[in-house]
Amino acid sequence: MKLSARNVLAGKVVEVVLGTTTAHVRIDIGGGAIVTSSITNEAVADLDLKVGDAVSAIVKSSDVIVGK
Amino acid sequence: MKLSARNVLAGKVVEVVLGTTTAHVRIDIGGGAIVTSSITNEAVADLDLKVGDAVSAIVKSSDVIVGK
Amino acid sequence: MKLSARNVLAGKVVEVVLGTTTAHVRIDIGGGAIVTSSITNEAVADLDLKVGDAVSAIVKSSDVIVGK
Amino acid sequence: MKLSARNVLAGKVVEVVLGTTTAHVRIDIGGGAIVTSSITNEAVADLDLKVGDAVSAIVKSSDVIVGK
Amino acid sequence: MKLSARNVLAGKVVEVVLGTTTAHVRIDIGGGAIVTSSITNEAVADLDLKVGDAVSAIVKSSDVIVGK
Amino acid sequence: MKLSARNVLAGKVVEVVLGTTTAHVRIDIGGGAIVTSSITNEAVADLDLKVGDAVSAIVKSSDVIVGK
């Protein structure tokens, strides 16, 4: 499935932390950059996310703020 | 100013395209990854954004979807 | 690719309106519900979106407000 | 109150799961589609949300990704 | 209709700027603070938004970044 | 650092509630308006957020819904 989101950044899961309903997943996208995503615990189970998994960090362009 | 947003990705502006009210800014964050941000034209002028500028691409962790 | 987003609603494109940089795409997801998505013109071209296309409307659970 | 959000999808609450601060609410919007919303526990109490309630799932068009 | 969004800030429209598909609406919420919202042109027409209108600026708590 | 986000509302922290992974921070922005932000616990620690802190509530214009 191709996505309209302009940012599909390939990377590797380096950490998964489960909360009561919300989990935090950290993804190494290379170049020294680590991206953090907060998703539902259900999504972690649904995607069977584990450290080492090859994943994409997906972000809509309207959700990116520029700082200068 | 320090931000609560977990993703503050350093990079360089490689393109700025102005629409009627909304602009698209593309940022090279290294490692071969280019991030696209859509912001208001007003913000482009306010930050005086130009190709070559050192900037940060800022994204809340709740705005990052994981794909596997 | 499986997504962490909890809302992946199958539907059919019923309208595509291009702006200068931003396009609006309307998707019939059945049950009388039409979902509107605003994406970049680039995404419309990239996905070669046309009326009649079978698509998914994808929304993170953190982007859904409940009204009662 | 009328909203600028283009997506106001009528439905019925089928599940409410409370976390420590964040709750997940699942809404049947008909046509076989279930929408998941993650909101604060405070909002669940404020709206007195219960299974069976008639509600709207509200989403800005800029928060909808298209997949094809 | 009551909303799960935790931020419903009452104010008055002070400016409406239409783009090709996207409009910018500026709302004076008092205390010297002006909030800018970008919505679809369709929403502006649908709500018949004009300068002087009493409106609410509505934001989900997950869309608010804290800077210190 | 200057931000492209159009809404940078100055205020004072009046409450911080930690969940398992997600915290809620309430900010008095004056004029009787209190803004709620949900951020990661990690961000609260990272910014050393405490009641009384002078902060900014930052929101992209594309994340503001107008209600009338």
Side-chain angles (χ1 to χ4, degrees), chain D residues 2-17:
Chain D
K2 209 169 184 181
L3 301 176
S4 63
R6 293 301 71 196
N7 304 301
V8 181
L9 308 168
K12 193 148 281 187
V13 174
V14 293
E15 188 181 37
V16 179
V17 176

Side-chain angles (χ1 to χ4, degrees), chain C residues 6-7 9 29 33 35-38 47-50 53 55-59 61-68, chain D residues 6-7 9 29 33-38 47-50 53 55-59 61-68:
Chain C
R6 292 301 75 195
N7 304 302
L9 307 168
I29 60 167
V35 169
T36 302
S37 167
S38 73
L47 272 65
D48 183 26
L49 282 178
K50 303 176 301 304
D53 282 353
V55 295
S56 296
I58 300 159
V59 183
S61 57
S62 55
D63 285 328
V64 180
I65 289 174
V66 180
K68 181 180 161 185
Chain D
R6 293 301 71 196
N7 304 301
L9 308 168
I29 60 166
I34 303 277
V35 169
T36 302
S37 168
S38 75
L47 271 65
D48 184 25
L49 282 179
K50 304 176 300 303
D53 282 353
V55 296
S56 296
I58 299 160
V59 183
S61 56
S62 56
D63 285 328
V64 181
I65 289 174
V66 180
K68 181 182 164 184

Side-chain angles (χ1 to χ4, degrees), chain A residues 3 8-9 11 16 24 32-36 40 45 47 51 53 59 64-65 67:
Chain A
L3 301 176
V8 181
L9 307 168
V16 179
H24 293 157
I34 303 276
V35 169
T36 302
T40 62
L47 271 65
V51 170
D53 282 352
V59 183
V64 181
I65 289 175

Side-chain angles (χ1 to χ4, degrees), chain A residues 6-7 9 29 33-38 47-50 53 55-59 61-68, chain B residues 6-7 29 33-38 47-50 53 55-59 61-68:
Chain A
R6 292 302 72 194
N7 303 302
L9 307 168
I29 60 167
I34 303 276
V35 169
T36 302
S37 166
S38 74
L47 271 65
D48 183 26
L49 282 178
K50 304 176 300 302
D53 282 352
V55 296
S56 296
I58 300 159
V59 183
S61 56
S62 56
D63 285 328
V64 181
I65 289 175
V66 179
K68 180 181 163 185
Chain B
R6 292 302 72 195
N7 304 301
I29 59 168
I34 303 276
V35 169
T36 302
S37 167
S38 73
L47 272 66
D48 184 25
L49 283 178
K50 303 176 301 304
D53 282 352
V55 296
S56 297
I58 300 160
V59 183
S61 56
S62 55
D63 284 327
V64 181
I65 289 173
V66 180
K68 181 182 163 183

Side-chain angles (χ1 to χ4, degrees), chain C residues 12-59:
Chain C
K12 193 149 282 192
V13 175
V14 293
E15 189 182 38
V16 179
V17 177
L18 294 179
T20 311
T21 54
T22 306
H24 293 157
V25 179
R26 289 159 57 83
I27 302 164
D28 182 343
I29 60 167
I34 303 277
V35 169
T36 302
S37 167
S38 73
I39 61 177
T40 62
N41 288 359
E42 185 191 303
V44 171
D46 197 17
L47 272 65
D48 183 26
L49 282 178
K50 303 176 301 304
V51 171
D53 282 353
V55 295
S56 296
I58 300 159
V59 183

Side-chain angles (χ1 to χ4, degrees), chain E residues 41-63:
Chain E
N41 288 0
E42 185 191 304
V44 171
D46 197 17
L47 272 65
D48 184 26
L49 282 178
K50 303 176 300 304
V51 170
D53 282 353
V55 296
S56 296
I58 299 159
V59 183
K60 265 193 133 249
S61 56
S62 55
D63 285 328

Side-chain angles (χ1 to χ4, degrees), chain E residues 6-7 9 29 33-38 47-50 53 55-59 61-68, chain F residues 6-7 9 29 33 35-38 47-50 53 55-59 61-68:
Chain E
R6 293 300 75 196
N7 304 302
L9 307 169
I29 60 166
I34 303 277
V35 170
T36 302
S37 167
S38 73
L47 272 65
D48 184 26
L49 282 178
K50 303 176 300 304
D53 282 353
V55 296
S56 296
I58 299 159
V59 183
S61 56
S62 55
D63 285 328
V64 180
I65 290 174
V66 180
K68 180 181 163 184
Chain F
R6 293 300 74 194
N7 304 302
L9 307 168
I29 60 166
V35 169
T36 302
S37 167
S38 74
L47 272 63
D48 184 26
L49 282 178
K50 304 176 300 303
D53 282 352
V55 296
S56 296
I58 300 158
V59 183
S61 57
S62 55
D63 285 329
V64 180
I65 290 174
V66 179
K68 179 180 163 185

